[in-house]
Structure formats: structure tokens, C-alpha cells
Amino acid sequence: MNGLFSEVFISSLVSGGVIAGIPLIYAGLGEAISERAGVLNVGLEGMMLGGAYGGFVGALHFHSTWFGLLSGGLTGMIISLFMVVLCVRLNSNQIVVGIAITLGAEGVTALLHGAIYADTYPRVPVVHPYAIPFLSNIPIIGPGFFNHHISAYLAVVVVFFVSWVLKSTGIGLSIKAAGDQPHALEAAGGGVHRIRTISVLSTGLLAGLGGSFIVLVGAGLFVPFITNGKGFLAIVLAMLVRGRVRWLIVAGVLFGMSLSLTTALQLAGIDVPIDLVLMLPFVLIIVVLFAFGRRSYLPAALALPYDREQR
Amino acid sequence: MVLANELTPSVELIGITKTYPGVVANSDIHLTLRPGEVHSLLGENGAGKSTLIGILSGMVQPDAGEIRIKGETVRINSPRDALERGIGTVYQHSLLVPTLTVLDNLLLGVDQGWKLGRDAAKARLQEVSTLLDVEIDPSSVVGDLALGQRQQVEIVRALWRGEGVLILDEPTSMLTPQGAEKLVQVVRRLVSNGLAVVFITHKLNEALDLGDRVTVLRRGKIVGEVTPAELQNRSRAQITDEVLKMIFGEKSDASYAAFASQVSETADETFRVDHLSVEGSGPHPVLDNVSFTLKRGEILGIAGIDGNGQKELAEVLAGQRHADSGEIILDDQSIQNLSIAARQAKGIRYVTDDRHGEGTVGPLSIALNIVLKRVGEVPFWRWSLVRHSSIREFARKLIHDHDVRAPHEEVAISTLSGGNMQKVILARELALEPRVVVYNKPTYGLDARTTSLVLASIADQAKAGVTTVFISTELSEIVSICHRVAVMYRGKLSEPIMVRSGIELKLGALMTGSTTL
Ligand SMILES: Nc1ncnc2c1ncn2[C@@H]1O[C@H](COP(=O)(O)OP(=O)(O)OP(=O)(O)O)[C@@H](O)[C@H]1O
Ligand SMILES: [Mg+2]
């Protein structure tokens, strides 16, 4: 059987969608945390890219995917320190700093990669998927959804964890207060700067994980600009789910599928102009924004620096 | 009380000074708080009261001075430091997170750990609210509550956390007389257990009733004190007189006059509200069949406990909220379907009680806030170009006429004291040549002199033919300027009755729903 309903098309669409969607979920989750705490992190793309490079170097060096992910996450976190110092502590403009971080990370990673790896183009260790028993045996979609590297399933676990933290813990309350009414958080004895620092660092960590997932699990190698706008896509997803982070799982996979549509179409031997298909995720974003954008929830103090005495 | 004085003071503020650009908010202030004592802090709008307690609660850092707690010199670097030393505060302006529930607001900052103790907190909330005799649904979202209810939540929180010192910055400004009475009882009881209380209010009687000691601030300096002995041994009239002089200086004249005048029998009916209803999610409708008719130049008072639908009624009249049924008629024409702007063009004005949220744009200058509702109008704009010089000139005039205390008209409005911000909002609305004005608690947070100035201007405007709806929880104000008064209870408006002296008791009963007309 050939065409849109063939098994090869559907399973490569699902599997590719998950691979492309997981980085969106990681990074989108990071962005959602920052935004709830009142920090608009436009540097997400840069943190992902930095994480992608850090993960690549780590994995090559230690010959391990897991060490790669770890060093990718740490790289993202280190990059987010710029945001912490400049925006949270020194009250610089969050958008300007975010753009600077993205441009800076693009330049630095391209430069380093060109200087060190441009001749060899080394590949990272091959990842071994873990097939979840029973679920992966579901016909057609089973292998696509449930046969991946463990770090893919981890994304889902982390989403549920963060969702629980936001809903049921003191830190979660403080994060929401820091974004909605930071003065109230201070008045209640919390520390706005402390909470925002924790949030931005978590964003860096998660964006770094997402970036290194692209390299280590997805592509298998690093090329400059490999994140290719996924950081910005993740920012939009974070806004669309309106603080209900569990929806990121659905949104991430959905957008991941639209990103991986070209490959699936090619594998299934369907001939569609490739530019048309590459446009799809962005068309989807625009359609979704038309449909739900008006209801997208943004915290009241988003992108506003906090100064206790400024009333 | 005598015994209490011999104990170590709970708090000593020594030589506190704080300046802002263009203002000395506190200048070399010495203040001692003793356990078992209520210390009333008085002063006109902008005197520096909130700044001083901001320093004690960690919100504001002083330029100079020392703070001692129980004899020990401390630095209070943040509200957290203050809370850890048992200093609980009700701030003048609501500092709750509007998107969180009441319960989560109470837990905020207390519980830094992983798991929230929501059940224990619920029990504790029940306890404190029984003490205060208020009914607060712990699961309602704070943003949906009326300002008076929010204030109750803040009081609950401060009582919950202030074990040694309780700071109350105008806690009764949004409460009903009954609510205020209840608060006074609770504070009395806590004080007898050794708590030290700072009590800020503009209501002189409250300050003298509750306070064991009174300190008066003017323009950042302490200008006078009344000791417990004086409070006990001298007549109330004498003390009142003296304190008023301290607050306003020698030229004080802050007594209420009766402003009300007769509405001409022959004046035509200009404004009619017919069977307005708004459904609500609660057990009773937000507005339940509200009707009234007003003549030109008439002032209708609407009394009621905050949260019974007054704000919603005002918003429906202003066009900010949709009514499910009913009609609003101005000069025989329905304005029901007109937008906010179209209603404004017809001369309908609404003075909100939410001076921070809807009333002003915080970071903008006083001058721009004053012309906020006149964007594009001559002479402030010409050929679509903004003319700053005429805006500033107009702002200077209003600031002068309404005695707004501000360094100049270009400072951000958010830096003004609460009362001065309210003066700007009123100046703006009164300057707009309205036909029908809806005021929601226009005098809240104003000092006595400004209150009487505002009431006088509302009365003057009415004499000039402006029809007025005056929503207030202050029965004394309603009685002094309104021609007729109605009471709002659970979305229903009672039949308006003529105002005469001695009506307060009856209104009080209507407000709590214990009788109907
Ligand atoms: N953050 C700030 N920036 C600039 N000026 C300020 C700031 N906070 C207070 N001020 C100024 O300090 C003075 C004292 O203000 P404060 O709020 O202490 O007055 P208040 O006595 O509480 O008055 P009210 O009765 O109106 O609440 C005012 O002139 C005010 O404009
Ligand atoms: Mg004040």
C-alpha cells in the first residue's frame, strides 16, 4: 500500500514527530517556567544551540549519550547565567539580552565548530532505543511512539513533575506570584530575585537538554544553526499552553510531526513540493494563534524588571 | 498599661530618614512601639506614614537611622526579615496575587518546601476568620473579590503572621462600620495578650478610640504626640481639636458641613435605570432587577457592604460590563448599547475605587494621567500632535487647585501617596464637565480635610445640574451630601428613601440584610 495511509508513512511520521517534538517539549517547558516567573526568555534559541554544542562535545569526549545530555544541560544553564545576572539582578531589558544571547550562541558555536570539527565532522555515539513492553507492540503507531531513547520518555516525566511543582508546592506558588504580582510575593516573605533566578536557571537546563537531544538522539552530529528556529517555536508553544504545561506534550508532538512531515513523505514516496511542507509548522502556528492566540495567557509582570522600592 | 510601659519596647525607630527625589518622606523620626499598646499614626495625605511603616516592614530601605527590636539593633533588609521577627503588615494597597486563590495567597512565602499544607491552612483560616467574623471562601480567586473582601484577606494574613507587632495601614478604609468595629475588638484582644500595634487611619475617632497613644506626622516630621495619660484624662473634644491642628497646621478646619441642598421639585428626570440584571456564578445574581430614576442635579447614595454588587452596578452604568437584561436611559434615550467611549461622550463618568488597577497608569506622569481620557482632544492635542506644554500647564493647575502633594507634574503617578493619587483621579473626573457621574468610594484613603473638599465639590457640581450616583460604605458621608439613599444587598437595590438625620441605624440594618423595607 502506498500513500498517506501506508504504514511506512504513518510510523515514520509518528516516530519523526516524537524525535522532533521532544526538544520542543523540553525547551517549551523551560520557557513556560520562566514566563510564569515573569521573565520572557527570548534567548531560548541560543540556550538550545549552546546546549546542542555542549552536548555534542560532551558526548564525543565521554563516549556517552547520557554524559552528552548532562553537559548539554549544563551548557544551557551556564548560558542562562547571563540572563540571570543581566536581567534578574541588573534589570536590563529582557528582550535585548535574549536576542544578544541567541546571536552570541549562534556565532560562538559556529566558530568553535568550524575551528575544531569542520574537517572531520565526527558523529556522536549511536543511541539505543528502549521499546516499552506491550505499548510498542500496538500496530502501526506503537513503534513510532514507544520505541525511543529513554531521554525522550524523560521529557514526559519532567513535564508532569513541573506541572505538579507549579500546582502543589510552595516553590510553584512563588513562581506564579513572581510573574503575576512580584510585590505581593515579597510582602509575603518570598524573594522575587531568588525565585526568578531559580526559574531562569531551570530554563537554561531544560533548553540545553532539548538542544542536545537534537544532536545526540536526532541528528547524530552537530552542524552550525542546527536548532533552526526550534527555540522560537518553543516560545510560542509555551505561550499557547497558557501555563497548563501538560499540554506541551501534545503540542510538542503535533508540531514535531509537522516538522518531520517532509521526511515521512519522502519515505512513503509521495511527491509534494518540499518548500510547501517546510512551511507547514509555521502555517500551523499562525492558524493556531488565530484560533487560540487571543486567549493565550501571559503573566501580568512578564518582562518587567523588579525593584522592591519602585511602586 | 502602666505595666506594659516598663517592659522593653517591641520596636524602637531611631532617627529614621528617607528621601525621594524632590520629597523628604521621613525626616529624623523617633518612634517607640510598646507591647500591649496600640499606637495610632496620623497625618494628612503624603505625610510619610506609609513610608515609615514600609521601613519597618522591610519594603523600603531608610537612608539613615536605626531600628531596634526588643532592645536589639537589627537590619531589616526585606519583608522576609520583618516577618521572621514577627512583624505582620496590612499594606495600604492590596498586596495579594490576583490570580491565586485566597488559600494560596495565605500560604505564599510561608511554606517554601515541597508539599503545601493546604488542609492545615484551611483549618487555620477558618479559625482566624471566625475570630474576625468574616466569611471568606478559601478557594475563591482573589482577583474576583471586591476590594473590601481583599482587605479582609490581608488582615487575616497579617494576624496569622504578626506574632509580635501588627502594622495596619488604613485597614478600615474598605470595611463597613460593622467590619471595622469587629476589627477593633480583635485588635483589643490581641493587644491585651502583649501584641504591639501600629494603626494608621484618617478617621480621627477610630484613632482615638483604639489608640493608647497617638503620634502625628506632617511633611515627614513628627509634629506632635498624645500620651496615654492625656488620652485618659482630657476631654475628647479638646484632644480632637489639638490633633486636627497638629495634622493640618494652625489653619485647620476639617469639620463636616452639611452640604445637601434641595433638589428642585420641577427638575426633569434625566437618568433612569430599569430592571438591570446580571447573572452570576454564585448563589444569587450579581445584579437583581435594579431600578431607580434620578432628577437633574440629584445625588443618590448607594450604601452597602462591599461586594454586594455596587462595583458591578457602576461598571454596567459605565459600559464596562454587560447587563443580561434591563435598560439605562439618559434623556429619554437608551444608552444600553453604547460603548464606553460613546457613553463618555454623552457625559457619563465613572470614578473607580481601584486607583491602581483601572484608575491610573502607574509609570506615566501625573500630567499624562490627567489627560488620559482626553487623548486627541484640543488643546492637549492639535493636528494629532501632542502638546506637552498645555498638558503640563493644565496639570499644574489641577495639582494646585486640589492640593496634590507632588514635587512636580512630571513624576510618575505611582510614586504618589495613596491619598494624593486619589486626588489626581478626582481632579481629572471633576474637570471633565460631566452630566452623570458614578463615584465608587471616592474618599477612601483621603484625609479629613481633603474628604470635605471632595464632598463639597461633588455637592457643588450637583447644584450646577450634574446627576450623581454616590457609592460608599461611609454612612456619614452619604448622609451629609446625598438627597436620597438606597441600600444594596446581594445584588438587590432597596427603594431609595429621603435622607434625614438619624437614618444611619436603619441603613445599617438594611446593609446586613437583617430587615427589608
Ligand atoms: N517610591 C517612591 N518614589 C517617589 N516618591 C515617593 C515614593 N514613595 C513615597 N513617595 C513620596 O513620599 C511622600 C510620603 O508618602 P507616603 O506614602 O508615606 O504618605 P502617607 O502619609 O502614607 O499618605 P496617604 O495618607 O495618602 O497614604 C509622598 O510625597 C510621596 O509622593
Ligand atoms: Mg499611605
Side-chain angles (χ1 to χ4, degrees):
Chain A
M1 199 173 86
N2 222 324
L4 279 178
F5 298 100
S6 70
E7 192 172 331
V8 56
F9 173 74
I10 291 177
S11 70
S12 66
L13 183 68
V14 170
S15 168
V18 172
I19 297 284
I22 295 295
L24 293 178
I25 295 175
Y26 273 121
L29 184 65
E31 183 70 21
I33 297 173
S34 274
E35 280 181 11
R36 294 257 39 191
V39 181
L40 183 61
N41 187 353
V42 187
L44 198 68
E45 174 84 2
M47 293 174 191
M48 280 183 93
L49 195 54
Y53 187 76
F56 173 66
V57 174
L60 283 182
H61 196 265
F62 296 107
H63 305 288
S64 149
T65 305
W66 284 108
F67 273 99
L69 288 167
L70 188 68
S71 72
L74 286 178
T75 313
M77 215 162 160
I78 290 166
I79 296 175
S80 70
L81 272 176
F82 283 100
M83 193 123 213
V84 169
V85 174
L86 290 171
C87 298
V88 178
R89 302 284 160 172
L90 299 176
N91 287 347
S92 312
N93 184 303
Q94 295 173 4
I95 304 209
V96 173
V97 171
I99 292 173
I101 286 177
T102 297
L103 294 178
E106 285 178 351
V108 171
T109 52
L111 189 76
L112 286 175
H113 181 263
I116 306 172
Y117 303 108
D119 300 333
T120 52
Y121 270 91
R123 294 193 69 92
V124 295
V126 177
V127 290
H128 303 288
Y130 169 75
I132 299 181
F134 306 116
L135 287 176
S136 58
N137 298 334
I138 300 172
I140 306 180
I141 58 163
F145 274 122
F146 303 110
N147 190 14
H148 290 284
H149 189 246
I150 295 192
S151 58
Y153 312 130
L154 189 67
V156 175
V157 176
V158 176
V159 167
F160 276 93
F161 174 70
V162 169
S163 159
W164 172 79
V165 167
L166 285 175
K167 210 170 148 225
S168 315
T169 69
I171 294 178
L173 278 189
S174 300
I175 290 176
K176 289 189 269 190
D180 278 327
Q181 221 316 10
H183 287 281
L185 174 59
E186 291 258 314
V192 174
H193 288 161
R194 192 177 73 95
I195 289 294
R196 288 189 171 175
T197 299
I198 295 173
S199 305
V200 172
L201 288 177
S202 332
T203 308
L205 174 71
L206 289 166
L209 277 177
S212 47
F213 187 93
I214 297 177
V215 168
L216 302 176
V217 183
L221 80 173
F222 183 89
V223 292
F225 308 107
I226 190 169
T227 47
N228 196 18
K230 282 194 174 162
F232 293 108
L233 212 53
I235 294 177
V236 177
L237 293 192
M239 290 185 174
L240 281 178
V241 298
R242 284 184 285 147
R244 295 177 310 178
V245 293
R246 277 182 278 181
W247 281 95
L248 274 172
I249 300 172
V250 178
V253 171
L254 217 70
F255 277 87
M257 283 184 186
S258 72
L259 284 170
S260 68
L261 199 56
T262 3
T263 332
L265 287 170
Q266 278 167 352
L267 282 177
I270 303 167
D271 198 20
V272 183
I274 210 164
D275 292 329
L276 210 69
V277 182
L278 285 178
M279 262 169 49
L280 195 72
F282 302 97
V283 173
L284 195 60
I285 281 279
I286 290 171
V287 170
V288 171
L289 279 176
F290 263 115
F292 304 109
R294 230 155 49 93
R295 292 184 3 227
S296 72
Y297 163 81
L298 294 179
L302 186 63
L304 298 179
Y306 175 72
D307 180 354
R308 188 188 297 145
E309 294 205 16
Q310 209 64 55
R311 48 181 198 182
Chain B
M1 218 87 20
V2 180
L3 190 92
N5 286 340
E6 288 158 4
L7 300 170
T8 353
S10 303
V11 175
E12 293 161 275
L13 298 175
I14 302 161
I16 298 287
T17 297
K18 175 74 184 179
T19 48
Y20 287 112
V23 238
V24 182
N26 286 163
S27 162
D28 193 31
I29 303 264
H30 292 257
L31 192 78
T32 305
L33 308 179
R34 296 165 179 83
E37 208 174 85
V38 178
H39 199 133
S40 292
L41 201 55
L42 296 174
E44 61 184 341
N45 293 134
K49 307 177 296 290
S50 295
T51 305
L52 187 64
I53 62 102
I55 288 170
L56 182 55
S57 65
M59 269 290 178
V60 178
Q61 291 303 311
D63 301 334
E66 189 185 328
I67 300 174
R68 284 191 205 149
I69 292 181
K70 298 210 186 86
E72 178 197 348
T73 301
V74 297
R75 272 197 67 90
I76 300 182
N77 288 317
S78 67
R80 180 171 198 90
D81 288 351
L83 287 166
E84 273 168 4
R85 295 178 190 283
I87 301 174
T89 309
V90 173
Y91 295 94
Q92 184 173 4
H93 298 296
S94 170
L95 277 180
L96 299 171
V97 184
T99 47
L100 297 183
T101 62
V102 169
L103 194 64
D104 285 356
N105 263 289
L106 294 173
L107 282 168
L108 186 65
V110 185
D111 205 332
Q112 303 276 328
W114 281 112
K115 197 88 184 78
L116 285 174
R118 284 203 173 105
D119 290 333
K122 212 176 260 177
R124 185 78 202 276
L125 171 64
Q126 192 56 48
E127 222 173 274
V128 183
S129 39
T130 318
L131 197 74
L132 273 170
D133 197 18
V134 295
E135 232 175 273
I136 306 171
D137 176 7
S139 60
S140 51
V141 175
V142 163
D144 297 339
L145 299 181
L147 292 181
Q149 293 168 307
R150 287 191 214 184
Q151 202 162 28
Q152 290 173 335
V153 177
E154 303 239 23
I155 292 169
V156 167
R157 178 167 73 174
L159 287 176
W160 183 318
R161 302 186 63 177
E163 284 137 16
V165 180
L166 185 62
I167 301 172
L168 302 165
D169 193 353
E170 302 192 26
T172 56
S173 62
M174 282 283 172
L175 301 183
T176 50
Q178 292 90 330
E181 182 55 38
K182 206 73 209 175
L183 178 67
V184 164
Q185 285 170 17
V186 173
V187 168
R188 273 265 142 259
R189 185 157 69 238
L190 292 169
V191 161
S192 64
N193 294 338
L195 198 76
V197 176
V198 187
F199 182 58
I200 298 177
T201 180
H202 286 296
K203 297 168 195 163
L204 203 55
N205 274 332
E206 253 178 35
L208 297 178
D209 284 345
L210 184 58
D212 299 307
R213 187 185 291 271
V214 176
T215 294
V216 180
L217 284 181
R218 189 154 102 242
R219 299 181 188 236
K221 291 200 178 67
I222 289 188
V223 290
E225 252 188 310
V226 187
T227 61
E230 285 174 300
L231 269 176
Q232 273 168 11
N233 301 331
R234 299 180 42 203
S235 80
R236 173 58 69 93
Q238 239 179 342
I239 294 178
T240 305
D241 210 45
E242 246 168 56
V243 169
L244 278 175
K245 283 211 176 84
M246 290 180 205
I247 297 178
F248 298 111
E250 288 307 316
K251 57 182 168 67
S252 90
D253 170 30
S255 55
Y256 286 132
F259 300 101
S261 58
Q262 291 290 308
V263 191
S264 145
E265 287 290 326
T266 55
D268 37 338
E269 296 185 342
T270 48
F271 191 60
R272 197 167 91 227
V273 167
D274 248 354
H275 305 291
L276 276 186
S277 289
V278 173
E279 302 297 327
S281 50
H284 38 81
V286 173
L287 288 183
D288 193 354
N289 228 338
V290 171
S291 305
F292 57 84
T293 307
L294 294 182
K295 290 183 172 164
R296 182 185 306 284
E298 189 174 16
I299 307 178
L300 172 69
I302 294 187
I305 297 172
D306 214 17
N308 273 291
Q310 298 97 315
K311 187 179 183 67
E312 288 80 1
L313 174 62
E315 286 175 353
V316 168
L317 297 182
Q320 294 181 0
R321 183 184 283 266
H322 175 79
D324 293 318
S325 62
E327 212 162 9
I328 307 168
I329 291 157
L330 177 67
D331 295 335
D332 301 324
Q333 275 177 352
S334 171
I335 59 164
Q336 182 70 3
N337 295 321
L338 297 186
S339 67
I340 300 176
R343 291 186 203 202
Q344 278 183 5
K346 287 202 172 281
I348 295 191
R349 306 276 174 260
Y350 166 40
V351 181
T352 166
D353 62 345
D354 186 4
R355 56 172 83 124
H356 280 269
E358 304 164 25
T360 58
V361 182
L364 291 188
S365 68
I366 300 176
L368 284 177
N369 269 286
I370 281 178
V371 295
L372 211 54
K373 295 192 170 173
R374 298 182 165 191
V375 172
E377 279 179 27
V378 181
F380 310 118
W381 271 262
R382 187 158 283 165
W383 314 115
S384 315
L385 291 178
V386 57
R387 297 178 68 225
H388 283 291
S389 57
S390 56
I391 291 177
R392 291 183 64 161
E393 191 185 320
F394 181 62
R396 272 200 296 274
K397 180 176 176 309
L398 291 193
I399 287 176
H400 176 264
D401 290 353
H402 292 262
D403 192 26
V404 178
R405 297 289 159 78
H408 52 81
E409 72 280 3
E410 290 292 287
V411 297
I413 198 165
S414 61
T415 67
L416 295 189
S417 81
N420 280 301
M421 201 180 285
Q422 185 67 10
K423 288 190 212 171
V424 173
I425 295 178
L426 284 164
R428 175 176 77 194
E429 301 301 328
L430 291 172
L432 272 171
E433 288 164 17
R435 300 208 39 221
V436 177
V437 191
V438 182
Y439 291 98
N440 195 359
K441 291 185 252 115
T443 63
Y444 106 81
L446 296 182
D447 60 42
R449 182 168 56 184
T450 317
T451 298
S452 52
L453 278 176
V454 166
L455 294 180
S457 0
I458 294 176
D460 280 349
Q461 246 188 356
K463 271 178 216 150
V466 174
T467 307
T468 307
V469 177
F470 185 87
I471 299 171
S472 178
T473 51
E474 297 290 330
L475 292 181
S476 59
E477 291 180 5
I478 288 184
V479 169
S480 77
I481 69 163
C482 296
H483 303 111
R484 287 187 299 159
V485 54
V487 173
M488 218 153 173
Y489 181 69
R490 299 207 169 152
K492 278 195 169 65
L493 190 70
S494 71
E495 189 65 34
I497 49 177
M498 296 306 273
V499 168
R500 53 190 140 65
S501 58
I503 200 175
E504 285 96 333
L505 266 181
K506 180 164 190 189
L507 293 177
L510 283 169
M511 282 162 73
T512 53
S514 53
T515 55
T516 48
L517 270 178

